[in-house]
Amino acid sequence: MKQIIDIVETFKVSRPVFRLTFERGGSTISANLSEPVHIYRPQPEEGNYLSELVCGHYNERFDSKDGEFSLNQHDIAVRAMSEVRRSMCTFLERNLEMRNPRQSKIYRWYYRDLPETTHFDNALIMMYKYMRSFSDSDMKATNTEHINNAIALLEAMMEKYDEKR
Amino acid sequence: MSVFADKKFEELDWISQATEPIDSQLNEVLASIPDETIIDFDLYKQIVGDSYSMDLSVDRCLNWSVNKYCVIQHLSWEQRDALKPCFEFQMDDNIILDFEKKTISGQIKFVKTQYTMDEKVLEGMLGRQGIEAIGSMYFSGAGLSRANEIMELLTKCESGLRTRSERRKRATIKQRLITLFKNNEWKIKDTELANKVGHWIKDYVCNGNLAALSNFCRLKVMTHKDQPIYSMEEVK
């Protein structure tokens, strides 16, 4: 999780300066809050898939009372981590050579029984980075040589972290 | 005859008596709002308030102006809708709203484009509030015979008089009032007075309020003169 937090902490916010425009036949003047004049959008580090994923969850919010944009860093980190967790299931669904991958033991475990520990989260992040190195954004492997290895690693993680054992 | 005198009409100048314009509070409201309001950053914040939407609409500016400048602050949605076409925004091409410096670069103006309410708009508003009140008029027992009395005074309500259904009596009274004000049969020229008609009927039918009946009857008598009616002496 620390790797995600490190990325989130580099995020800034847009400046609260807006261009006013006429709308609806001139009876409304609108300030487009999602398109400020000085807009900030985080740039993911090239080749860093985790940075790409975290930047995708960037979400700033304009507070009209204080007149400034704000960012909920914790929220972004949590949502990014949830996507990492979900991506394990997606990977299994796309690449497991079974008729119905959702019926497999490994898929069920990654779908339902993931431990909520920092140590395990860090392992998942490492795994995500590895899987993305040979998969597209939809977790479909582009290089089939690594599939078996990745699944074996996922199984090993399941063995190690299964709390029910 | 002083009970049936129309003091407001008598006080009008000869040209107004001849042209018989419709009198309405909305003209007073319109007159009390400045012809032009320049909207700076502070005013923008006041108008928008703490709302999530940062849009500046004629509606919002009108609400703010009514609250600030007018004695009569309670306006119905219908009255506000009628006032809206009397205003517009004028704005420079490139307006920047800066929350850091708390400034608006360029000029936004809220401008009055009409100085009196359109006669046709006011005509359409005659009695409307009272008619809406009739929609929520529920009665039974003695109320049924009181509703019959009202329908006799209103005339042309035969279908309502024949039925024993409360709902149909209510619908007949409502429909009769709609037609009456649409054709301006009673020549009422004051929107507030016209709005009271429905309320008087509701008060009398639902609660047996005799003062309300007395007012309604006085108005009905005044209509026999076939003159425009601007005001009447009410029983409280």
Side-chain angles (χ1 to χ4, degrees), chain A residues 3-161:
Chain A
Q3 290 181 63
I4 292 179
I5 291 167
D6 286 346
I7 297 169
V8 173
E9 278 175 352
T10 63
F11 288 168
K12 294 176 183 135
V13 288
S14 302
R15 286 175 57 196
V17 181
F18 307 100
R19 181 165 286 113
L20 296 178
T21 48
F22 268 134
E23 269 186 12
R24 283 174 240 149
S27 65
T28 306
I29 293 174
S30 172
N32 190 352
L33 303 182
S34 58
E35 292 292 333
V37 175
H38 307 287
I39 194 165
Y40 172 81
R41 288 287 173 265
Q43 292 301 318
E45 215 178 289
E46 209 171 316
N48 184 341
Y49 299 112
L50 186 67
S51 164
E52 226 172 75
L53 178 134
V54 179
C55 290
H57 286 280
Y58 176 84
N59 183 23
E60 63 180 357
R61 200 173 156 274
F62 183 71
D63 185 336
S64 55
K65 201 172 176 184
D66 300 334
E68 58 187 22
F69 281 101
S70 61
L71 205 60
N72 188 338
Q73 293 186 337
H74 174 73
D75 201 36
I76 296 171
V78 167
R79 277 190 282 129
M81 193 60 228
S82 301
E83 194 178 332
V84 169
R85 285 164 166 262
R86 274 198 309 277
S87 66
M88 301 298 136
C89 292
T90 317
F91 179 84
L92 289 168
E93 218 176 333
R94 302 272 187 279
N95 301 294
L96 213 54
E97 285 184 352
M98 286 175 73
R99 210 168 169 185
N100 187 358
R102 290 185 181 204
Q103 292 294 322
S104 64
K105 188 183 166 193
I106 186 168
Y107 180 91
R108 285 182 179 183
W109 189 79
Y110 277 95
Y111 188 73
R112 289 191 194 136
D113 302 325
L114 290 190
E116 303 263 349
T117 62
T118 316
H119 194 251
F120 181 71
D121 283 349
N122 288 338
L124 281 183
I125 290 168
M126 296 304 290
M127 199 59 208
Y128 175 80
K129 282 173 148 180
Y130 169 60
M131 289 193 301
R132 277 303 310 275
S133 66
F134 61 89
S135 314
D136 58 15
S137 60
D138 204 26
M139 301 308 279
K140 178 77 187 161
T142 46
N143 185 346
T144 48
E145 285 172 18
H146 293 280
I147 294 177
N148 288 341
N149 193 28
I151 291 171
L153 280 167
L154 287 172
E155 273 174 345
M157 278 171 69
M158 182 178 74
E159 298 280 317
K160 188 178 175 189
Y161 292 101

